[in-house]
Amino acid sequence: MGDVSRATSSAADDDLLLKEFFAEVSEVERDNEVSRILSCFKLNAFEYLNLPFTSSVDDVKRQYRKLSLLVHPDKCKHPQAKDAFGALAKAQQLLLDQQERDYILNQVNAAREELRAKRKKQLKKDTATKLKSLVDEGKYEQEYERSEEFQQQLKLKVRELLTDQEWRRRKMQMRISEEEGRLKKDEEETKEMWKRKREHEEQWEGTREKRVSSWRDFMKGGKKAKKGELRPPKLKTEDPNKSYVQRPLKR
């Protein structure tokens, strides 16, 4: 019971703080936030909510509530407030989706490892810094990674990796679409071929009676030569031992 009361009290305190915050926010600050949101890197949801990569799910929800109220179209007169509000909603949706969140964080980890490898090469040239790092047992490097310089480098490297992954995804999607188009074309050509074959068979079957009748008529009148029709020469029958063609006599 006590935990519920404390949670209710904490939520009420948050609401009060938000009301006080928005009471002090000017229209210029709202416009600036809209501009910031719309200028964010589109593939990084953390940038839209202006959160570090280590933010928790609760951090995401709190920040979304704060920023969405700041740029809400009913409260902000900026002509693109609606677009900024929609971008925040999409960013929150992505970061609350475990699969999408893990995808971004995987790129963050890859970017961090690349920067560490680059940093390690630089330290080999800087003996004093390297010795200090060894003495502090890594504390020096931990402090460096918390610095604004490193965080900015990390942000840019994450952008680079996300862009590369998106480009590969689009290329793969394009290849899949092309393959699907080719298969569809092959299927349509096969259907058309079978259609023509069926039409030919139906046409052939439809003229069967006519062909049979024509053949019968031919067989009946085959012995009578029509006027002007050439007939094959007859074999001589005078000599049964010889089989040759009689040449026509000249007149």
Side-chain angles (χ1 to χ4, degrees):
M1 190 68 180
D3 292 339
V4 175
S5 298
R6 282 194 294 273
T8 304
S9 176
S10 177
D13 291 342
D14 289 344
D15 289 341
L16 181 61
L17 287 173
L18 277 174
K19 287 179 181 179
E20 292 176 354
F21 170 74
F22 289 119
E24 298 173 0
V25 172
S26 67
E27 195 62 38
V28 174
E29 290 173 305
R30 291 180 186 274
D31 289 349
N32 289 341
E33 184 60 21
V34 170
S35 299
R36 184 199 69 80
I37 292 170
L38 295 179
S39 65
C40 285
F41 179 60
K42 297 184 182 300
L43 301 177
N44 188 354
F46 285 99
E47 284 195 31
Y48 280 105
L49 294 174
N50 201 18
L51 286 172
F53 296 121
T54 54
S55 300
S56 66
V57 171
D58 289 336
D59 293 333
V60 170
K61 291 178 179 179
R62 280 194 295 268
Q63 184 74 343
Y64 168 72
R65 187 182 179 202
K66 175 183 175 181
L67 297 183
S68 62
L69 289 174
L70 187 62
V71 300
H72 195 286
D74 292 342
K75 300 180 182 298
C76 181
K77 297 179 182 179
H78 194 288
Q80 291 181 291
K82 186 176 180 180
D83 296 333
F85 184 78
L88 288 177
K90 184 177 181 181
Q92 181 195 222
Q93 182 183 4
L94 288 174
L95 293 180
L96 294 182
D97 184 314
Q98 190 61 47
Q99 185 175 357
E100 293 290 343
R101 182 185 179 88
D102 288 345
Y103 169 74
I104 296 176
L105 291 179
N106 285 339
Q107 306 311 312
V108 173
N109 291 333
R112 185 178 285 111
E113 289 302 317
E114 282 194 32
L115 292 176
R116 284 174 177 172
K118 183 179 178 181
R119 173 78 172 169
K120 190 174 182 180
K121 289 181 180 180
Q122 291 175 344
L123 289 177
K124 287 181 179 179
K125 300 177 182 178
D126 188 350
T127 306
T129 306
K130 185 178 180 181
L131 290 174
K132 181 174 176 54
S133 178
L134 292 173
V135 171
D136 293 344
E137 297 180 353
K139 291 180 181 179
Y140 178 78
E141 289 306 306
Q142 292 175 9
E143 289 177 5
Y144 173 73
E145 290 189 8
R146 286 195 292 268
S147 68
E148 184 65 28
E149 178 187 355
F150 181 83
Q151 291 302 316
Q152 185 61 26
Q153 290 179 0
L154 181 62
K155 182 179 178 180
L156 295 176
K157 179 57 70 171
V158 169
R159 285 187 179 188
E160 180 184 328
L161 295 183
L162 286 172
T163 301
D164 184 57
Q165 289 297 324
E166 179 64 14
W167 171 241
R168 292 184 181 184
R169 185 191 68 79
R170 291 189 183 186
K171 281 181 68 177
M172 181 61 67
Q173 188 61 43
M174 186 167 48
R175 289 178 182 174
I176 292 173
S177 298
E178 290 174 352
E179 182 64 15
E180 288 176 347
R182 186 187 66 79
L183 292 174
K184 186 177 180 181
K185 183 180 178 182
D186 290 346
E187 183 181 357
E188 289 175 351
E189 289 178 351
T190 302
K191 286 181 179 179
E192 184 63 25
M193 181 188 71
W194 283 108
K195 181 182 177 182
R196 289 196 301 267
K197 185 177 180 181
R198 281 197 306 271
E199 290 175 350
H200 177 73
E201 290 175 350
E202 290 172 359
Q203 185 179 9
W204 178 260
E205 188 63 26
T207 59
R208 182 174 179 277
E209 290 298 328
K210 184 178 179 181
R211 286 183 284 105
V212 171
S213 298
S214 298
W215 175 252
R216 286 173 180 168
D217 293 342
F218 172 76
M219 294 301 292
K220 286 179 182 179
K223 294 181 179 180
K224 295 181 180 180
K226 295 180 181 179
K227 187 176 181 181
E229 182 181 358
L230 295 176
R231 298 185 64 182
K234 294 182 178 179
L235 295 176
K236 271 193 171 186
T237 56
E238 289 81 358
D239 189 350
N241 297 322
K242 293 183 180 180
S243 176
Y244 57 87
V245 178
Q246 182 179 7
R247 295 179 178 275
L249 298 175
K250 294 183 179 180
R251 295 182 180 180

